[in-house]
Amino acid sequence: MTTRWPWISMLVSLILTLSPLGRDIVDSAFFAGEALSRNIWAPIALTIFAVMAAAILSEWLIRTYIRNRRARGATTA
């Protein structure tokens, strides 16, 4: 692991967002002509975005922790 960037979860989030189902959810949540559809799908879409952001943040924190631990080297007790 040479980078701290969370490229795995970013790539998965991008693929899921650009898939036909993901695009349909985004269109229904933010670009629908009916207010009822927007009111139903907007909280669902925002929750999905928050989960994806949490996964990206947790991957970044884990990668940072592992990189710092490896940089310190092995210690003996």
Side-chain angles (χ1 to χ4, degrees):
M1 178 174 44
T2 60
T3 180
R4 286 186 287 190
W5 288 101
W7 62 271
I8 296 170
S9 55
M10 281 186 182
L11 184 64
V12 170
S13 297
L14 183 67
I15 290 171
L16 291 176
T17 303
L18 295 178
S19 70
L21 180 62
R23 291 185 64 188
D24 190 35
I25 290 173
V26 170
D27 286 340
S28 296
F30 303 112
F31 304 116
E34 299 177 6
L36 178 63
S37 178
R38 287 192 309 267
N39 289 337
I40 291 172
W41 282 104
I44 295 170
L46 292 175
T47 303
I48 292 170
F49 294 154
V51 169
M52 289 190 299
I56 290 170
L57 179 65
S58 65
E59 183 182 353
W60 181 76
L61 289 173
I62 289 169
R63 285 178 176 265
T64 302
Y65 175 74
I66 290 172
R67 186 171 180 179
N68 289 340
R69 189 169 177 157
R70 286 183 181 171
R72 281 186 288 168
T75 59
T76 58

